């Protein structure tokens, strides 16, 4: 789900970024005389090599999209190589807004990743806490040399009780882990 959302977000970011250049130039030949400079024409002048990706012209829509997508992904992930940069005032305003939205999206993404990792570990931490509490309780009832703390049952019975408590806690932990895994699998299946 997360990767799918990231792909969709970058796709729309790329489409909008390419649209901004086209809206300013009003043509797909960004290098034609009299066309206002755009991020595409600036990239073409500084980074184009014959035989490589070519965003100029109506038929080169896939190359233009690939270049826009490259900018979107490097903006969302905050890598920012700098080889695709805004040129006009409009592009700077749009790029600023898109990068702010991208920053919020990236913070949301990192928060979700941390939440998933925290959830994975939380059931194990809860199990260890319960097991430590059970062990402390078991130790309180274990036979001692002091007659006032001697339990009513024998040593073999206390070991059996301790084993049963530990098995119970372990079985509950395993059952919870299986339920979590099953519900996660079912929710993924429903989303598909």
């Amino acid at each position: 789900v997360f990767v799918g959302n990231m792909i969709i977000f970058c796709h729309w970011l790329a489409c909008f970024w390419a649209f901004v250049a086209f809206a300013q130039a009003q043509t797909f030949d960004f290098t034609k005389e009299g066309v206002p400079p755009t991020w595409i024409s600036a990239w073409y002048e500084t980074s184009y090599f014959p035989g490589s990706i070519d965003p100029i012209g109506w038929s080169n829509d896939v190359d233009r999209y690939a270049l826009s997508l490259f900018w979107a992904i490097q903006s969302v992930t905050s890598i920012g190589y700098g080889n695709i940069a805004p040129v006009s005032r409009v592009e700077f305003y749009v790029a600023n807004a898109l990068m702010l939205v991208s920053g919020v999206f990236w913070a949301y993404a990192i928060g979700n990743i941390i939440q998933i990792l925290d959830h994975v570990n939380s059931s194990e931490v809860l199990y260890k806490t319960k097991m430590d509490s059970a062990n402390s309780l078991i130790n309180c009832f274990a036979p001692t040399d002091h007659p006032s703390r001697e339990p009513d049952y024998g040593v073999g019975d206390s070991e059996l009780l301790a084993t049963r408590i530990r098995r119970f806690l372990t079985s509950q932990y395993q059952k919870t882990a299986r339920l979590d895994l099953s519900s996660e699998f079912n929710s993924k299946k429903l989303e598909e």
Side-chain angles (χ1 to χ4, degrees):
V1 175
F2 167 71
V3 174
N5 288 340
M6 184 81 122
I7 290 168
I8 290 169
F9 181 73
C10 287
H11 164 76
W12 287 111
L13 207 63
C15 291
F16 191 71
W17 186 236
F19 174 76
V20 168
F22 172 73
Q24 292 179 100
Q26 298 292 315
T27 180
F28 288 105
D29 187 2
F30 295 92
T31 57
K32 192 165 44 171
E33 190 75 29
V35 173
T38 64
W39 67 268
I40 293 177
S41 60
W43 178 88
Y44 190 80
E45 290 174 13
T46 60
S47 300
Y48 175 73
F49 293 102
S52 70
I53 191 170
D54 184 3
I56 306 300
W58 170 257
S59 63
N60 294 342
D61 53 345
V62 173
D63 288 351
R64 202 168 27 259
Y65 175 74
L67 193 60
S68 300
L69 187 62
F70 180 73
W71 177 84
I73 291 170
Q74 72 182 4
S75 295
V76 167
T77 58
S78 70
I79 294 172
Y81 292 113
N83 60 344
I84 300 173
V87 174
S88 69
R89 180 176 286 125
V90 171
E91 289 175 350
F92 272 101
Y93 287 132
V94 169
N96 287 335
L98 292 178
M99 285 187 281
L100 283 173
V101 170
S102 297
V104 170
F105 180 80
W106 193 241
Y108 172 76
I110 291 172
N112 280 339
I113 291 169
I114 290 171
Q115 183 180 13
I116 289 167
L117 293 175
D118 187 43
H119 176 70
V120 168
N121 196 25
S122 66
S123 59
E124 186 176 337
V125 169
L126 182 62
Y127 167 70
K128 287 180 181 179
T129 303
K130 286 181 178 181
M131 192 59 84
D132 287 343
S133 297
N135 286 331
S136 296
L137 183 64
I138 290 166
N139 288 337
C140 289
F141 291 107
T144 62
D145 293 337
H146 197 278
S148 65
R149 292 202 51 215
E150 190 71 33
D152 293 339
Y153 46 85
V155 174
D157 291 338
S158 66
E159 289 173 6
L160 181 63
L161 180 62
T163 302
R164 286 183 177 171
I165 290 172
R166 289 182 183 117
R167 280 187 190 158
F168 173 76
L169 290 174
T170 302
S171 71
Q172 293 300 308
Y173 168 68
Q174 291 170 342
K175 190 183 296 183
T176 304
R178 281 193 302 269
L179 286 174
D180 287 346
L181 187 61
S182 174
S183 66
E184 182 179 320
F185 175 75
N186 289 335
S187 67
K188 285 182 181 178
K189 204 171 186 179
L190 287 174
E191 290 173 0
E192 292 173 355

